Amino acid sequence: MREHLTGQFTPGTSILHRLDARAKFFGFLILIAATVCTDAWPGYALLLAVTAAVVAICGLPLRTALASVARMGWFFLLIFVMNALFFATDDAIWHWWILTLSVPGIVQGAQVTARLALILVMSNVLTCTTPPLEITGAIQTLLSPLRLVRLPVEDIAMILSVAVQFIPTLLEETDTIRKAQIARGARFESRRLHERAQAMLPLIVPIFLSAFKRADELAMAMEARGYRGARGRTRKKSVPLPLSGWGALALCAIVCAAEILL
């Protein structure tokens, strides 16, 4: 059986699965704002508890929820090192040339890394519990005020939705190409940085080529089916946000207010 892909919608009957997509999307944005606003460790502890509770409620396996974070481990390490070594301060622990290691820099790096990890896990929960078409509708609702300035809201929502849907596919192809390159002698796990850098080039080029090929195939398929833009197309009738959605937004707002106070 094929392994579940990161960010791929997983059908379920949990409260989050049944929650209105607009409430989930707006709640996700509120939690992102709370994550960005917090700068104290009690605030991060609260966000971690909220994220863990959300993962437990939706029934998503912990390995799946953290898969995107594990895949980007080197990126998080780079973000931490960049913040730890380039944070200007007077009480430096170690200094050499343009590199300055200090306690505030280490704290700053840990905070930025924690914020990115929490946002990544929450976005993974959103995409795993919400069908792609419902995400499109939520994005369209969010962008609907832009119709006043004559922006193609429907087309923008379609583009963003397609981009979100392609993320699991590209991750699967990346893993397949990586395994093929390892079988051909690529040394992704080497301790030498130059060998890892040399191994990345045969991985990046096929990924970009595959992405462009899939985009071209999708464009041809949509054109063959008569797609000429979202304007004028029929869509699901908009219904008022149910009480459960308002309740979820209220909880997210309370968390955001608590983060600001902390």
Side-chain angles (χ1 to χ4, degrees):
M1 181 180 295
R2 188 178 67 176
E3 184 180 359
H4 181 269
L5 300 177
T6 304
Q8 187 180 45
F9 170 65
T10 305
T13 59
S14 67
I15 298 177
L16 279 178
H17 283 85
R18 300 194 305 268
L19 191 63
D20 190 280
R22 294 168 296 178
K24 284 187 281 187
F25 192 79
F26 285 106
F28 170 66
L29 296 181
I30 294 174
L31 291 179
I32 287 181
T35 306
V36 173
C37 290
T38 186
D39 57 356
W41 292 113
Y44 289 108
L46 175 60
L47 282 174
L48 180 61
V50 170
T51 305
V54 169
V55 172
I57 290 174
C58 70
L60 196 65
L62 186 61
R63 180 180 179 182
T64 303
L66 299 178
S68 53
V69 178
R71 290 176 183 270
M72 301 180 65
W74 285 104
F75 173 74
F76 287 116
L77 179 61
L78 177 63
I79 293 296
F80 175 79
V81 171
M82 292 291 289
N83 282 273
L85 296 180
F86 292 95
F87 189 83
T89 182
D90 296 331
D91 52 344
I93 301 175
W94 173 80
H95 177 76
W96 178 76
W97 193 35
I98 61 173
L99 306 179
T100 302
L101 181 64
S102 62
V103 174
I106 296 175
V107 173
Q108 175 74 10
Q111 288 181 344
V112 173
T113 305
R115 289 172 183 170
L116 292 176
L118 288 171
I119 292 174
L120 201 58
V121 172
M122 287 187 288
S123 63
N124 194 20
V125 171
L126 174 66
T127 55
C128 287
T129 59
T130 313
L133 290 179
E134 293 187 8
I135 293 180
T136 304
I139 296 175
Q140 187 173 332
T141 303
L142 176 66
L143 299 178
S144 57
L146 297 179
R147 290 194 182 98
L148 299 176
V149 292
R150 297 186 177 181
L151 283 180
V153 173
E154 294 82 2
D155 293 332
I156 296 175
M158 176 65 71
I159 292 172
L160 294 177
S161 175
V162 170
V164 170
Q165 294 180 55
F166 263 87
I167 291 176
T169 304
L170 290 178
L171 289 176
E172 181 184 26
E173 292 191 355
T174 301
D175 187 61
T176 302
I177 295 172
R178 181 176 179 273
K179 291 178 180 178
Q181 296 294 349
I182 291 176
R184 291 174 172 82
R187 306 188 63 179
F188 293 104
E189 306 298 332
S190 175
R191 295 183 179 180
R192 299 180 180 180
L193 292 179
H194 71 279
E195 291 183 353
R196 288 191 177 186
Q198 291 177 353
M200 289 302 295
L201 185 60
L203 179 64
I204 294 175
V205 174
I207 292 174
F208 272 95
L209 292 177
S210 176
F212 287 128
K213 180 180 178 182
R214 284 189 172 273
D216 185 60
E217 291 176 349
L218 178 61
M220 294 178 62
M222 294 175 69
E223 184 178 358
R225 287 165 174 79
Y227 184 81
R228 296 294 183 271
R231 183 178 296 275
R233 293 176 61 88
T234 58
R235 57 180 181 270
K236 184 179 179 180
K237 184 179 180 180
S238 179
V239 296
L241 193 66
L243 291 178
S244 59
W246 288 111
L249 290 178
L251 289 176
C252 293
I254 292 173
V255 172
C256 186
E259 292 296 330
I260 295 175
L261 293 176
L262 291 175

